[in-house]
Amino acid sequence: MSCAGEHPTTRMCLLELEGMSGPGGRLQGARVMDYGAGSGVLALAALKLGAARAVGTDVDPLAVRSARRNAELNGYNEDALCVLQCGQSLKDAEPVQQAKGNAYGNPPQFDIVCANILRGPLFELAPRLLSYARPGSTLVLSGLLVEQVPEVMGAYAAHVSNVQVRNDGPWACVTALRLA
């Protein structure tokens, strides 16, 4: 089993977040969504790199517990990093409405939306992921192979600009800006 950040898709997402950090960077004071958070590594990295708040979601209750524990071990309370269990499809309830005090708006929107999941969920959940991205925000999508990028981006194309693809061997990470 790999440690956090060892898989190429996680590494690429971390590099994208790091590239948005620093004085005046997009990550400074941002609200971040980590959809499919797993252990919470992307949300935690975003906070450590300057984000103000983060929400993580995952379908696996063990992953949710793990991400909450990792937040605690890193000194973040639920106000800084809220981790929620979500369903696997758009038919399931929208998870972020459960966030404490609903500090993310109605509908909830974020400055940066990360989803390091698989091709199928990235494609199927495009409406939800796009709804989380406020106009002008950054989407970071990974967990897919280079040859899967055109299919997945077809679900996002009408709603994004400045699409950039990074690859690490056969794996890809796509960043894009959400159109108004």
Side-chain angles (χ1 to χ4, degrees):
M1 184 157 98
S2 67
C3 294
E6 286 187 6
H7 193 273
T9 61
T10 305
R11 235 185 351 262
M12 288 185 288
C13 289
L14 290 168
L15 287 169
E16 293 298 335
L17 289 171
E18 186 177 49
M20 291 183 248
S21 68
R26 295 182 69 81
L27 196 53
Q28 297 311 301
R31 296 185 312 176
V32 177
M33 160 58 72
D34 181 1
Y35 203 93
S39 66
V41 67
L42 297 180
L44 288 166
L47 289 168
K48 288 193 177 286
L49 291 168
R53 300 179 106 174
V55 170
T57 65
D58 206 287
V59 298
D60 181 351
L62 294 176
V64 170
R65 271 202 320 262
S66 174
R68 286 177 179 160
R69 179 69 177 136
N70 287 335
E72 181 183 310
L73 290 171
N74 281 276
Y76 294 107
N77 64 25
E78 193 174 327
D79 291 332
L81 175 53
C82 177
V83 185
L84 306 164
Q85 187 168 349
C86 63
Q88 295 188 20
S89 78
L90 291 174
K91 295 175 185 164
D92 294 311
E94 198 290 313
V96 184
Q97 295 298 347
Q98 305 167 46
K100 183 179 178 183
N102 195 14
Y104 302 96
N106 190 12
Q109 291 198 309
F110 299 86
D111 303 303
I112 299 168
V113 175
C114 296
N116 184 21
I117 48 182
L118 298 172
R119 179 205 56 80
L122 283 172
F123 185 83
E124 294 164 15
L125 294 169
R128 179 168 283 172
L129 295 173
L130 285 163
S131 76
Y132 285 147
R134 68 162 181 73
S137 66
T138 302
L139 288 119
V140 180
L141 309 173
S142 197
L144 64 159
L145 298 169
V146 172
E147 63 265 15
Q148 297 169 333
V149 170
E151 175 195 5
V152 169
M153 290 315 295
Y156 295 82
H159 307 281
V160 298
S161 66
N162 297 6
V163 176
Q164 297 179 18
V165 180
R166 174 192 295 252
N167 76 291
D168 185 340
W171 296 101
C173 180
V174 179
T175 57
L177 296 179
R178 174 71 158 101
L179 295 171

